[in-house]
Amino acid sequence: MTSLIERAAAHDVEIQAIGRPDLDLSDPDSIERCLDAARADVVVNAAAYTAVDKAESEEELVTQINGAGAGLVAAAARRQGAPVIHISTDYVFDGTFDRPYDETDPPAPVGAYGRSKLAGEFAVAAANPEHVILRTAWVYSPFGGNFVKTMLRLGETRGQLNVVADQRGGPTSALDIADAVIAVAKGLIDRPGRFGIFHMTGAGEASWAEFAAAIFAEAEAHGRKPVEVVPITTAQYPTPARRPANSRLNGAKLRETYGVELPHWRASLKSCVARLLASPTT
Ligand SMILES: NC(=O)c1ccc[n+]([C@@H]2O[C@H](COP(=O)([O-])OP(=O)(O)OC[C@H]3O[C@@H](n4cnc5c(N)ncnc54)[C@H](OP(=O)(O)O)[C@@H]3O)[C@@H](O)[C@H]2O)c1
């Protein structure tokens, strides 16, 4: 949301940001009240219950927010004749394929969060035929909590870090996602009809260990002390929720349909780290 607000200003697009406490995705009345009062050309839902591990013990709540709640947002957009852009995730897949996932590949979530996000995709599609579902993965930005900020913080006090090396994905800048969402929204207004599911991640791929090493290399270029990344396996770093080993998503459909392609993750990481080190409070 913060990235979208920042990039909207650069694209001269007007954004009405709605969220808690006014609109709570677990409260259907608040969704109707807020969205029926809003008048938008396109409705974007970037909100979700995202605590992947906690979701394992709160499946009812996460399903209500990410499933039913997402459907109600799409239905509200439908009532005002607007298309909905909905953000989804690589977690709808189990990650067992040995190539980047296509939109036509069968979803098979392995945890509560992934199941809830898949329920959301179905609910959005059922509630509003004019939907664009953008699945992304491994998101970071200068804002909020994320992997890049965690690595930079840990690197301040540690000379060595163990990082998982047997999961692969496309690190994705939220600022690049925001640019893509705005481009798709404009595309929907200019030439309606290109609905469906699309994959969208930073170009290229990495393991978490390679991603971490790149973060520390960028930080070192800005005068930070070196941090050694020790590659470990997923089994050596157990978490309550299972993660897909392969989170790579094929972005060809988005490129061919909307002409939208995200920059290489290393280029976007470079500017994110530079920005964070110049102004660590953002
Ligand atoms: N992070 C990733 O790596 C990743 C990967 C793939 C897909 N995604 C998807 O990208 C989208 C944004 O994720 P993110 O990483 O930016 O998440 P985030 O930083 O956790 O932000 C989630 C946002 O959703 C809001 N939210 C949570 N519960 C809500 C509720 N019940 N009602 C209304 N708003 C609620 C939060 O509001 P508050 O500020 O009030 O808490 C926050 O603004 C989500 O759809 C997520 O599934 C993320």
Side-chain angles (χ1 to χ4, degrees):
M1 173 75 90
T2 312
S3 296
L4 206 46
I5 292 168
E6 180 173 303
R7 297 306 297 158
H11 289 280
D12 203 19
V13 167
E14 192 188 330
I15 288 233
Q16 228 180 311
I18 307 174
R20 290 192 285 198
D22 302 324
L23 186 158
D24 189 325
L25 288 172
S26 65
D27 173 2
D29 289 344
S30 77
I31 299 174
E32 287 190 15
R33 196 171 51 244
C34 288
L35 292 184
D36 288 352
R39 280 283 160 261
D41 296 318
V42 179
V43 172
V44 179
N45 182 9
Y49 179 128
T50 58
V52 172
D53 289 319
K54 201 169 164 216
E56 292 300 308
S57 55
E58 290 190 337
E59 185 147 8
E60 199 177 328
L61 178 63
V62 69
T63 305
Q64 190 184 354
I65 292 171
N66 294 350
L72 291 172
V73 171
R78 174 84 175 147
R79 279 197 295 281
Q80 47 183 283
V84 64
I85 298 178
H86 177 78
I87 308 297
S88 193
T89 172
D90 57 301
Y91 277 65
V92 298
F93 296 117
D94 63 9
T96 53
F97 280 26
D98 60 0
R99 57 163 173 78
Y101 278 86
D102 295 326
E103 291 81 353
T104 48
D105 288 329
V110 292
Y113 168 74
R115 284 190 291 274
S116 75
K117 290 294 289 184
L118 183 59
E121 292 188 1
F122 288 134
V124 167
N128 190 341
E130 298 192 355
H131 61 268
V132 169
I133 294 169
L134 295 172
R135 290 184 184 142
T136 189
W138 291 31
V139 180
Y140 67 90
S141 81
F143 319 111
N146 58 66
F147 186 76
V148 173
K149 291 177 78 172
T150 302
M151 289 299 112
L152 290 177
R153 179 170 43 78
L154 293 175
E156 279 185 288
T157 53
R158 312 259 289 270
Q160 192 183 70
L161 277 175
N162 297 340
V163 185
V164 170
D166 57 1
Q167 295 170 25
R168 296 192 75 74
T172 307
S173 157
L175 289 164
D176 293 339
I177 293 177
D179 286 336
V181 165
I182 290 166
V184 170
K186 286 181 171 177
L188 282 170
I189 293 167
D190 294 344
R191 190 154 65 84
R194 293 165 290 165
F195 307 120
I197 298 176
F198 299 86
H199 288 174
M200 171 189 66
T201 51
E205 61 173 84
S207 68
W208 288 112
E210 289 164 354
F211 188 19
I215 295 164
F216 293 128
E218 289 298 335
E220 213 181 319
H222 288 270
R224 283 272 194 103
K225 64 177 176 47
V227 178
E228 185 195 353
V229 172
V230 179
I232 60 166
T233 63
T234 302
Q236 289 173 288
Y237 188 75
T239 52
R242 268 175 65 201
R243 268 83 176 153
N246 174 19
S247 285
R248 293 172 299 154
L249 303 176
N250 180 0
K253 185 181 170 193
L254 186 68
R255 184 176 66 243
E256 285 155 14
T257 311
Y258 282 95
V260 169
E261 189 170 20
L262 270 51
H264 196 282
W265 67 267
R266 285 187 186 275
S268 298
L269 175 67
K270 197 181 183 69
S271 45
C272 181
V273 171
R275 183 168 165 176
L276 281 168
L277 294 182
S279 172
T281 51
T282 47

